[in-house]
Amino acid sequence: FYAPVKRPIYIVLPEEDRLPGDEEMVGRLNLSLYGTRDAAQNWSREYTRTLTGCGFIVGGASPCNFYHPARDLALTVHGDDFTVSGPEEELTWLADTLRSRWDVKVAIASGLEYEADQRHVRVVLEQLELQDRKPVTTPYGPQEQGCLRDQGEPLSGAEATRFRAIVARLNYLAMDRADIQYATKECAKRMANPRDPDWQLLKRVGRYLKGAPRAVISYPWQERDQEISTYVDSDWAGDKVTRKSTSGGLLMWGAHLLEAYASSQQTVALSSGEAEYYGVVRGAGIGLGQQALGRDAGFGIPLRIWTDSSAAIGTASRQGLGKLRHLECHSLWVQQRLRRREFELRKVSGVDNPADLFTKHTD
C-alpha cells in the first residue's frame, strides 16, 4: 500500500526505531507514509502503472475501473482492495502477477452478500430507549405522513443535539438500507429546527428497526447480458411546508439492486406531471452513470427507465418546452438523450412501481 515517494519528505524518527546517536536525527521516506498529503495520489499512480503494464485499460467513467480485453477481466480498486471478476484461470494469473509486486491476500467468492452494519441499529435503539416498545412493520406510517415541521414546541439544546445525532446515524445507515431511506429523509428535513412532534417520526423508524435489525442484499451470479432497469416516482408537493416534491427510485441490473434513493426536488413543481418529469431526469442521470461504469468493465448495458406517469413520458418524448413554460430548462437534456435512443422510457403500472417505497408511506 506504500508507493514510492515523489518528493523529499522527512519525519521525526519514532522512539522505538532510534539507535544510540539518533536523538537529533530525522528520517527521509523512501515510500509514501500513510497519512501524508500525496500518499493516495502516489498509490493511485503506482497501481495504475502496474495494471496498465499488465494489459489493463483505464476506465473512462472512473479511473478506479480497469478492463483487460484479452483476458476478459473487469477490475475496480477501492483503496488497497481490488475486486475483479472473470474466468477462474485468468483470476489466478492476475493473483500471481500482483504477488510478484506486492503482498496480497486472495479470496474467491461464488456470489456476494452485502449487509448493513448492525452496530448502528443497536446504538439507535439504545438512544431512543425503545426496549419496551413493540416493533412496527413499516418505517413510515399514515400518522407521520401528515406531521408538519412547523408544529409543536422547539426541542431544548440537549434534546435537539440528541435528535440530530440519531438522524445523522440513520442517514449513514440508510445508504445501505433502502427500506428506511424515505423515512430517514423526512427526519433529516427536521434537523435544523427539531420540535416535539418530530420524535414521533424518529421513534417510528426505530420501532421498525427493532423488528428488522438486519438487512442482507444477496447478489448471486447472473448472466452479463442483463438490462439496467431504473424505476422512478415522485410525490407532487409532498412537503406541506415548502411544497417541494420528492424524487425516489431504484436501479436494478437484472436481479441485482445497485442503487436506491429518496431526495427532495430543488425546484417547486407546479404540476404532478412536472414533478414526475423531474423524477425521470434524476433516474436517467443515475442510469446513464451506471451504464458508463458498465462500459468501463468491457460491455454495453441497455437502459430502461420505468415511470407510472404518462405526462412525464409525454414531456420527455417531445422536443423543447411546449406549453410548459415554467419547466426548468436544465432538465431538457433528457429529451435529447431519449431522441438519440441512449435509453428507453416505458410505462409501469402505479400499483406495480417499486419506486413508491421512496416517495410516500406504503403498506
Side-chain angles (χ1 to χ4, degrees):
F1 194 46
Y2 302 111
V5 296
K6 297 298 181 182
R7 61 187 175 94
I9 302 179
Y10 297 89
I11 64 167
V12 176
L13 291 175
E15 186 173 345
E16 61 271 18
D17 289 338
R18 293 177 186 170
L19 298 175
D22 285 349
E23 289 76 15
E24 302 299 325
M25 303 293 290
V26 295
R28 179 170 176 173
L29 295 179
N30 295 320
L31 301 177
S32 300
L33 185 65
Y34 186 75
T36 52
R37 187 167 52 209
D38 49 0
Q41 184 180 40
N42 291 342
W43 170 239
S44 175
R45 186 183 295 112
E46 166 76 5
Y47 70 68
T48 299
R49 182 172 61 248
T50 299
L51 292 174
T52 54
C54 298
F56 281 89
I57 300 172
V58 182
S62 170
C64 298
N65 296 332
F66 298 84
Y67 180 65
H68 199 304
R71 298 181 180 272
D72 193 25
L73 292 174
L75 182 149
T76 186
V77 183
H78 182 263
D80 60 346
D81 293 323
F82 290 64
T83 305
V84 56
S85 65
E88 189 168 352
E89 63 273 15
E90 303 298 349
L91 295 175
T92 302
W93 165 82
L94 179 61
D96 293 339
T97 302
L98 297 183
R99 282 195 188 98
S100 67
R101 191 167 186 86
W102 308 311
D103 293 330
V104 297
K105 298 178 181 178
V106 178
I108 298 179
S110 57
L112 303 172
E113 285 188 344
Y114 189 86
E115 181 174 359
D117 192 345
Q118 299 178 54
R119 177 173 56 90
H120 297 295
V121 176
R122 291 196 296 269
V123 173
V124 168
L125 296 180
E126 291 172 0
Q127 292 179 337
L128 289 175
E129 301 176 352
L130 297 174
Q131 292 83 355
D132 299 329
R133 299 294 298 275
K134 293 182 179 180
V136 292
T137 58
T138 59
Y140 200 76
Q143 298 86 358
E144 289 75 22
Q145 191 88 38
C147 182
L148 297 179
R149 295 204 309 275
D150 56 354
Q151 294 179 343
E153 294 296 322
L155 296 179
S156 64
E159 284 293 281
T161 299
R162 187 162 73 99
F163 180 90
R164 296 186 185 106
I166 298 173
V167 174
R169 186 177 293 274
L170 284 175
N171 204 33
Y172 182 81
L173 179 64
M175 291 190 291
D176 302 327
R177 294 280 304 252
D179 50 342
I180 65 170
Q181 284 196 355
Y182 177 67
T184 300
K185 177 189 77 75
E186 290 299 304
C187 293
K189 290 195 300 187
R190 293 156 167 81
M191 288 181 69
N193 298 295
R195 297 173 178 268
D196 288 333
D198 298 337
W199 282 112
Q200 176 184 340
L201 278 71
L202 199 55
K203 290 186 176 181
R204 173 83 185 211
V205 182
R207 291 173 63 192
Y208 170 76
L209 290 175
K210 184 177 182 180
R214 295 184 61 191
V216 180
I217 304 176
S218 179
Y219 296 96
W221 293 132
Q222 64 178 6
E223 295 297 326
R224 278 188 174 185
D225 55 349
Q226 305 287 330
E227 68 178 31
I228 293 177
S229 295
T230 303
Y231 293 87
V232 299
D233 189 44
S234 175
D235 70 329
W236 178 36
D239 190 317
K240 304 305 180 185
V241 176
T242 65
R243 310 308 295 178
K244 288 185 177 180
S245 309
T246 295
S247 289
L250 70 161
L251 185 144
M252 305 287 294
W253 181 19
H256 294 171
L257 173 66
L258 298 189
E259 187 165 353
Y261 61 91
S263 61
S264 297
Q265 297 179 1
Q266 296 304 308
T267 303
V268 178
L270 301 185
S271 67
S272 60
E274 182 182 355
E276 295 283 1
Y277 175 71
Y278 293 147
V280 170
V281 173
R282 176 72 186 275
I286 292 175
L288 290 169
Q290 289 289 350
Q291 198 178 46
L293 292 176
R295 287 194 292 270
D296 283 359
F299 48 89
I301 313 173
L303 170 63
R304 287 196 177 105
I305 300 175
W306 300 84
T307 176
D308 55 15
S309 171
S310 299
I313 295 176
T315 302
S317 301
R318 71 166 61 102
Q319 187 171 9
L321 292 173
K323 295 182 179 180
L324 299 176
R325 301 297 181 186
H326 54 274
L327 195 67
E328 288 291 329
C329 295
H330 64 73
S331 63
L332 296 181
W333 62 268
V334 169
Q335 296 178 345
Q336 299 173 349
R337 297 294 186 94
L338 186 59
R339 288 171 67 86
R340 293 203 296 258
R341 298 184 179 181
E342 296 184 21
F343 64 90
E344 296 180 15
L345 183 58
R346 295 191 176 186
K347 180 78 182 298
V348 62
S349 170
V351 296
D352 296 327
N353 189 358
D356 277 0
L357 179 66
F358 307 101
T359 58
K360 59 182 71 72
H361 159 67
T362 55
D363 58 18

